[in-house]
Amino acid sequence: HVQLVESGGGSVQVGGSLNLSCAASGDTANSCMGWFRQAPGKEREGVAIIDSDGNTVYADSVKDRFTISLDSAKSTIYLEMNSPKPEDTAIYYCAARFGGSCFWKELDGADFGYWGHGTQVTVS
């Protein structure tokens, strides 16, 4: 049983910044973890993923604005959100799966078996 707990959500102004955290209850070795989001009336979409080897994949809509990182000692991933836009408003979810490195296609979220409960981000 793996638990994922997101934190750091809230309201931010356009042009500001926000940092999200996701703490996992277990070791992140041989894992792929990521951030996904869902806005009202929209399907869930991948934001960024990272694995224990340091590989990262970003959605085109957030590349060069958001940065995903992993602190292995704390079993925690982060999402630094710079220059957020109103269209970034959504509930942000942390997800994880174990057994190997990330593949680029995993931005679709289908292979992730563990999910957090989400944290709201509102950009105005």
Side-chain angles (χ1 to χ4, degrees), residues 28-32 52 97-103:
T28 55
N30 301 310
S31 70
C32 179
S52 50
R97 67 122 176 96
F98 301 89
S101 302
C102 295
F103 294 100

PDB file of all heavy atoms in Angstrom, residues 28-32 52 97-103:
ATOM      1  N   THR A  28      11.105   5.599  -3.469  1.00  0.00           N
ATOM      2  CA  THR A  28      10.800   5.933  -4.858  1.00  0.00           C
ATOM      3  C   THR A  28      11.761   5.295  -5.854  1.00  0.00           C
ATOM      4  O   THR A  28      11.711   5.603  -7.042  1.00  0.00           O
ATOM      5  CB  THR A  28      10.795   7.454  -5.058  1.00  0.00           C
ATOM      6  OG1 THR A  28      12.037   8.004  -4.621  1.00  0.00           O
ATOM      7  CG2 THR A  28       9.656   8.093  -4.267  1.00  0.00           C
ATOM      8  N   ALA A  29      12.634   4.409  -5.401  1.00  0.00           N
ATOM      9  CA  ALA A  29      13.556   3.728  -6.296  1.00  0.00           C
ATOM     10  C   ALA A  29      12.799   2.965  -7.382  1.00  0.00           C
ATOM     11  O   ALA A  29      11.735   2.388  -7.129  1.00  0.00           O
ATOM     12  CB  ALA A  29      14.444   2.775  -5.517  1.00  0.00           C
ATOM     13  N   ASN A  30      13.354   2.978  -8.591  1.00  0.00           N
ATOM     14  CA  ASN A  30      12.756   2.268  -9.721  1.00  0.00           C
ATOM     15  C   ASN A  30      11.316   2.689  -9.968  1.00  0.00           C
ATOM     16  O   ASN A  30      10.437   1.863 -10.219  1.00  0.00           O
ATOM     17  CB  ASN A  30      12.832   0.755  -9.518  1.00  0.00           C
ATOM     18  CG  ASN A  30      14.246   0.256  -9.349  1.00  0.00           C
ATOM     19  OD1 ASN A  30      15.125   0.580 -10.150  1.00  0.00           O
ATOM     20  ND2 ASN A  30      14.485  -0.527  -8.312  1.00  0.00           N
ATOM     21  N   SER A  31      11.091   3.977  -9.910  1.00  0.00           N
ATOM     22  CA  SER A  31       9.738   4.490 -10.030  1.00  0.00           C
ATOM     23  C   SER A  31       9.615   5.534 -11.120  1.00  0.00           C
ATOM     24  O   SER A  31      10.595   6.117 -11.585  1.00  0.00           O
ATOM     25  CB  SER A  31       9.276   5.097  -8.703  1.00  0.00           C
ATOM     26  OG  SER A  31       9.975   6.303  -8.432  1.00  0.00           O
ATOM     27  N   CYS A  32       8.376   5.768 -11.513  1.00  0.00           N
ATOM     28  CA  CYS A  32       8.001   6.906 -12.339  1.00  0.00           C
ATOM     29  C   CYS A  32       6.897   7.635 -11.590  1.00  0.00           C
ATOM     30  O   CYS A  32       5.913   7.011 -11.186  1.00  0.00           O
ATOM     31  CB  CYS A  32       7.516   6.448 -13.709  1.00  0.00           C
ATOM     32  SG  CYS A  32       7.002   7.779 -14.812  1.00  0.00           S
ATOM     33  N   SER A  52      13.207   7.805 -11.244  1.00  0.00           N
ATOM     34  CA  SER A  52      14.306   7.759 -10.294  1.00  0.00           C
ATOM     35  C   SER A  52      15.675   7.886 -10.952  1.00  0.00           C
ATOM     36  O   SER A  52      16.681   8.035 -10.250  1.00  0.00           O
ATOM     37  CB  SER A  52      14.230   6.469  -9.472  1.00  0.00           C
ATOM     38  OG  SER A  52      14.083   5.336 -10.301  1.00  0.00           O
ATOM     39  N   ARG A  97       4.014   4.949 -10.108  1.00  0.00           N
ATOM     40  CA  ARG A  97       4.045   3.521 -10.373  1.00  0.00           C
ATOM     41  C   ARG A  97       5.468   3.046 -10.204  1.00  0.00           C
ATOM     42  O   ARG A  97       6.411   3.840 -10.275  1.00  0.00           O
ATOM     43  CB  ARG A  97       3.489   3.189 -11.759  1.00  0.00           C
ATOM     44  CG  ARG A  97       4.330   3.693 -12.911  1.00  0.00           C
ATOM     45  CD  ARG A  97       4.743   2.503 -13.788  1.00  0.00           C
ATOM     46  NE  ARG A  97       5.483   2.965 -14.964  1.00  0.00           N
ATOM     47  CZ  ARG A  97       6.808   3.012 -15.036  1.00  0.00           C
ATOM     48  NH1 ARG A  97       7.555   2.592 -14.004  1.00  0.00           N
ATOM     49  NH2 ARG A  97       7.394   3.457 -16.126  1.00  0.00           N
ATOM     50  N   PHE A  98       5.636   1.757  -9.988  1.00  0.00           N
ATOM     51  CA  PHE A  98       6.940   1.199  -9.695  1.00  0.00           C
ATOM     52  C   PHE A  98       7.282   0.082 -10.669  1.00  0.00           C
ATOM     53  O   PHE A  98       6.403  -0.539 -11.250  1.00  0.00           O
ATOM     54  CB  PHE A  98       6.972   0.695  -8.246  1.00  0.00           C
ATOM     55  CG  PHE A  98       6.685   1.778  -7.257  1.00  0.00           C
ATOM     56  CD1 PHE A  98       5.382   2.056  -6.874  1.00  0.00           C
ATOM     57  CD2 PHE A  98       7.709   2.538  -6.733  1.00  0.00           C
ATOM     58  CE1 PHE A  98       5.102   3.073  -5.988  1.00  0.00           C
ATOM     59  CE2 PHE A  98       7.449   3.559  -5.842  1.00  0.00           C
ATOM     60  CZ  PHE A  98       6.145   3.826  -5.470  1.00  0.00           C
ATOM     61  N   GLY A  99       8.580  -0.144 -10.846  1.00  0.00           N
ATOM     62  CA  GLY A  99       9.027  -1.216 -11.709  1.00  0.00           C
ATOM     63  C   GLY A  99       9.900  -0.790 -12.867  1.00  0.00           C
ATOM     64  O   GLY A  99      10.279  -1.625 -13.682  1.00  0.00           O
ATOM     65  N   GLY A 100      10.227   0.499 -12.965  1.00  0.00           N
ATOM     66  CA  GLY A 100      11.100   0.943 -14.032  1.00  0.00           C
ATOM     67  C   GLY A 100      10.989   2.423 -14.315  1.00  0.00           C
ATOM     68  O   GLY A 100      10.217   3.144 -13.677  1.00  0.00           O
ATOM     69  N   SER A 101      11.767   2.864 -15.300  1.00  0.00           N
ATOM     70  CA  SER A 101      11.826   4.271 -15.671  1.00  0.00           C
ATOM     71  C   SER A 101      10.573   4.718 -16.411  1.00  0.00           C
ATOM     72  O   SER A 101       9.782   3.899 -16.889  1.00  0.00           O
ATOM     73  CB  SER A 101      13.052   4.524 -16.543  1.00  0.00           C
ATOM     74  OG  SER A 101      14.247   4.153 -15.889  1.00  0.00           O
ATOM     75  N   CYS A 102      10.423   6.039 -16.530  1.00  0.00           N
ATOM     76  CA  CYS A 102       9.316   6.608 -17.288  1.00  0.00           C
ATOM     77  C   CYS A 102       9.522   6.427 -18.786  1.00  0.00           C
ATOM     78  O   CYS A 102      10.651   6.399 -19.279  1.00  0.00           O
ATOM     79  CB  CYS A 102       9.186   8.109 -17.026  1.00  0.00           C
ATOM     80  SG  CYS A 102       8.743   8.609 -15.365  1.00  0.00           S
ATOM     81  N   PHE A 103       8.417   6.346 -19.498  1.00  0.00           N
ATOM     82  CA  PHE A 103       8.391   6.470 -20.945  1.00  0.00           C
ATOM     83  C   PHE A 103       7.611   7.728 -21.282  1.00  0.00           C
ATOM     84  O   PHE A 103       6.708   8.121 -20.547  1.00  0.00           O
ATOM     85  CB  PHE A 103       7.730   5.259 -21.598  1.00  0.00           C
ATOM     86  CG  PHE A 103       8.495   3.987 -21.417  1.00  0.00           C
ATOM     87  CD1 PHE A 103       8.134   3.071 -20.442  1.00  0.00           C
ATOM     88  CD2 PHE A 103       9.577   3.695 -22.239  1.00  0.00           C
ATOM     89  CE1 PHE A 103       8.838   1.894 -20.275  1.00  0.00           C
ATOM     90  CE2 PHE A 103      10.294   2.511 -22.078  1.00  0.00           C
ATOM     91  CZ  PHE A 103       9.924   1.611 -21.099  1.00  0.00           C
TER      92      PHE A 103
END
